[in-house]
């Protein structure tokens, strides 16, 4: 059963000064099965992040449709959905993970994860317990839980980002090069975690540079070049 | 999912003009000013909705009308035309700009809190912090002095101002402390709408972080909806769910905050975002 169907997705950026049209991706078509994992590879600038950002709606798609079978609203076209629907989907169903930190000032690692749950309306006690569980699950050392994460290493940041996204048990996870800049040992750890998430039924789309990493993880890999999927 | 919930605030076609206007205003505007009759269109047909628990960011050029919008809502300025409805006032069926002075005072003090860009407008600088807060409580009908003192202490503490400083006047406080006293005052009557005009501007970074953190906690704890004016895009990114962009009295762009910042459509917004270093 499909959870996501992308049809003829195109994105171009219209810059005003100087006037310029940048075609970032064109006529992208693919579908994702429930519990499936799609990998996207391609050279730098091929348009990989653009596809993920259109799905998450950080970018406004220029054309095409992104139909998603949501728990909250049923089938919905993410390319055209109302902003408040997107906010709700991000809060309850769709996660986005990159290697970059996006935390509030004066928020500890644990609070950061906990806030994701409080935002969903969970009560304080349950949020406290689940965020601790999630941080242990992603093996963030316990002595880092009460620290502001600005000082975290790349691998620690990634584990925090994963915990923050996964604690909501999203149905759809978008991963933009989560393993960039990690050493091999940490990469294996992340791979193991992604496999376990997949085992729990989370549907995922991930951008990776590392073909070996995707082995046994992705059901299908799309190769992107100059804004299109190569077949 | 309840996306059918009523907005906490709905502003329709708000216009604020200084001057009479003329038939040629429509196509004679230079920025917000008519070349023919010199009328300033500080706000020109602005419509906004704010939903429960939401933070709506407002960014835009200096002079684009951001403070005018906030002050019109707080009854400091009388708009030339337009309507504003509050969910918690007559079920959102009567525009707050159509009612009399006593009614306005009640709306302003029971349902809204304001933090002014300029603290001098929001605080009596020679009254104690406690009296500043008590003033807002009295305006909303509070009478018990004991309860007022207690409430003032509780709010100041939540905004991280030491109880020992409660009887001091804000005149000698730092900018960051004055903004936090304004926040305490704004929250005094548990408003459903909070108007924040450049709360973090001019504060040093660690104080900014403190104020941002407090605003996030306010949102979580008091469940208020917030209009947040800031020229600081980092502040907007951290706090606002949706953002509108203003230029020359008009809203030129609106969208999800990250979309406005990562994929701005309008020439002015692109310039604003791309000039970030
Ligand atoms: N916000 C933006 N504004 C303007 N152009 C953009 C924007 N985002 C991406 N682009 C352009 O779109 C093209 C595709 O970029 P994208 O980031 O999707 O590539 P990518 O495949 O993820 O590359 P990398 O592997 O380097 O991350 C590039 O030419 C890029 O410059
Ligand atoms: N009494 C007045 N007579 C004429 N024009 C006025 C008057 N008061 C304000 N204006 C104009 O109204 C416009 C909107 O001002 P406002 O203070 O709302 O801008 P703002 O967006 O808050 O700017 P800033 O970012 O600098 O605070 C400005 O062009 C201002 O010059
Ligand atoms: Mg990329
Ligand atoms: Mg202003
Ligand atoms: Zn005119």
């Amino acid at each position: 059963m499909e959870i996501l169907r992308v049809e003829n997705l195109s994105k171009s950026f219209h810059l005003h000064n100087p006037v310029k049209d940048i075609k970032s991706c064109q006529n992208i078509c693919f579908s994702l099965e429930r519990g499936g994992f799609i990998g996207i590879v391609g050279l730098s600038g091929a348009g990989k992040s653009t596809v993920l950002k259109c799905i998450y709606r950080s970018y406004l798609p220029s054309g095409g449709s992104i139909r998603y079978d949501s728990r909250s609203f049923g089938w919905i076209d993410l390319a055209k959905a109302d902003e408040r629907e997107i906010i709700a989907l991000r809060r309850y169903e769709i996660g986005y993970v990159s290697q970059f930190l996006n935390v509030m000032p004066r928020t500890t690692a644990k609070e950061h994860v906990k806030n994701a749950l409080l935002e969903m309306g969970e009560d304080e006690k349950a949020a406290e317990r689940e965020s601790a569980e999630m941080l242990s699950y992603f093996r963030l050392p316990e002595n880092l839980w009460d620290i502001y994460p600005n000082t975290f290493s790349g691998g620690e940041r990634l584990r925090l980002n994963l915990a923050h996204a996964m604690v909501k048990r999203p149905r759809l996870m978008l991963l933009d090069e989560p393993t960039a800049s990690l050493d091999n040992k940490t990469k294996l750890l992340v791979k193991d975690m992604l496999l376990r998430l997949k085992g729990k039924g989370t549907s995922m789309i991930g951008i990776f540079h590392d073909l070996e990493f995707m082995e046994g993880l992705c059901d299908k890999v799309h190769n992107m070049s100059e804004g299109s999927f190569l077949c | 999912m309840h996306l059918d919930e009523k907005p906490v605030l709905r502003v329709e076609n708000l216009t604020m003009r200084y001057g009479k206007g003329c038939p040629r205003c429509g196509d004679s505007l230079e920025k917000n000013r008519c070349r023919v009759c010199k009328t300033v269109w500080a706000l020109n047909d602005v419509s906004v909705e704010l939903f429960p628990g939401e933070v709506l960011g407002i960014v835009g050029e200096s002079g684009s009308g951001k403070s005018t919008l906030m002050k019109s809502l707080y009854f400091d300025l009388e708009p030339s035309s337009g309507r504003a409805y509050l969910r918690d006032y007559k079920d959102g069926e009567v525009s707050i700009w159509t009612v009399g002075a006593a009614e306005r005072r009640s709306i302003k003090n029971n349902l809204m809190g304001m933090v002014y860009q300029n603290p001098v407008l929001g605080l009596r600088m020679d009254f104690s912090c406690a009296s500043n807060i008590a003033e807002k409580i009295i305006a909303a009908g509070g009478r018990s002095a004991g309860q007022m003192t207690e409430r003032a202490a509780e709010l100041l503490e939540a905004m991280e101002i030491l109880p020992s400083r409660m009887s001091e006047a804000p005149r000698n406080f730092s900018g960051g402390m004055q903004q936090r006293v304004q926040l305490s005052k704004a929250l005094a009557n548990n408003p459903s709408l909070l108007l924040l005009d450049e709360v973090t501007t001019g504060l040093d970074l660690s104080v900014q972080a403190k104020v941002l953190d407090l605003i996030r906690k306010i949102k979580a704890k008091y469940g208020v909806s917030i209009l947040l004016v800031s020229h600081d895009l980092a502040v907007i990114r951290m706090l606002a769910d949706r953002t509108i962009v203003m230029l020359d009295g008009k809203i030129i762009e609106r969208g999800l905050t990250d979309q406005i910042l990562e994929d701005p459509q309008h020439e002015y917004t692109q310039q604003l975002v791309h000039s970030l270093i």
Side-chain angles (χ1 to χ4, degrees), chain A residues 11-17 53 56-61 72-73 82-92 102-107 111 115 119, chain B residues 1-5 51-52 54 160 209-210 212-214 216-217 219 237-239 241-242 254-256 258-260 262-267 270 274:
Chain A
K11 172 63 188 171
S12 49
F13 295 94
H14 177 68
L15 304 186
H16 294 274
N17 190 16
K53 286 184 177 175
Y56 198 60
R57 260 284 282 281
S58 298
Y59 288 171
L60 269 181
S72 315
F73 311 109
D82 180 84
E83 287 148 15
R84 294 179 54 239
E85 289 170 330
I86 299 287
I87 289 172
L89 291 175
R90 287 178 178 186
R91 188 164 294 162
Y92 298 104
N102 187 11
V103 290
M104 288 285 297
R106 293 210 311 177
T107 303
E111 282 169 346
N115 285 341
E119 211 177 58
Chain B
M1 222 44 28
H2 11 259
L3 289 187
D4 48 352
E5 61 198 348
F51 289 90
E54 182 178 52
E160 301 182 13
K210 180 181 273 190
L212 290 182
D213 187 38
L214 288 171
R216 192 186 56 72
K217 291 206 173 102
K219 187 186 153 187
R237 182 187 281 279
M238 276 183 273
L239 291 177
D241 302 298
R242 293 186 300 130
R254 54 177 100 217
L256 294 164
D258 59 325
Q259 182 254 297
I260 294 283
E262 293 186 41
D263 186 15
Q265 309 289 309
H266 191 280
E267 176 170 9
Q270 290 185 358
H274 295 158

Side-chain angles (χ1 to χ4, degrees), chain A residues 48-49 176-177 207:
Chain A
K48 306 180 295 296
S49 297
D176 193 343
E177 296 197 47
I207 299 174

Side-chain angles (χ1 to χ4, degrees), chain A residues 93-108:
Chain A
E93 315 195 8
I94 305 182
Y96 183 96
V97 175
S98 72
Q99 53 188 304
F100 302 108
L101 257 189
N102 187 11
V103 290
M104 288 285 297
R106 293 210 311 177
T107 303
T108 66

Side-chain angles (χ1 to χ4, degrees), chain A residues 162-203:
Chain A
L162 282 169
H164 175 80
M166 284 316 303
V167 76
K168 302 175 166 209
R169 308 190 188 288
R171 309 171 74 224
L172 176 63
M173 273 283 266
L174 308 169
L175 307 156
D176 193 343
E177 296 197 47
T179 57
S181 80
L182 297 187
D183 59 64
N184 278 329
K185 193 166 152 241
T186 315
K187 265 191 201 172
L188 283 178
L189 186 75
V190 171
K191 182 169 178 175
D192 177 53
M193 285 162 188
L194 293 178
L195 277 170
R196 285 158 74 182
L197 295 178
K198 193 180 173 205
K200 288 190 174 171
T202 308
S203 311

Side-chain angles (χ1 to χ4, degrees), chain B residues 21-22 24-25 34 36-39 41:
Chain B
C22 74
R24 294 172 59 194
C25 274
C34 175
V36 180
C37 70
K38 311 297 179 206
T39 294
W41 295 77

Side-chain angles (χ1 to χ4, degrees), chain B residues 61-68 70-71 117 197-198 229:
Chain B
E61 207 173 38
S62 178
S64 60
K66 305 180 297 295
S67 295
T68 306
M70 306 295 258
K71 288 178 180 166
Q117 185 166 6
D197 195 353
E198 302 281 7
V229 171

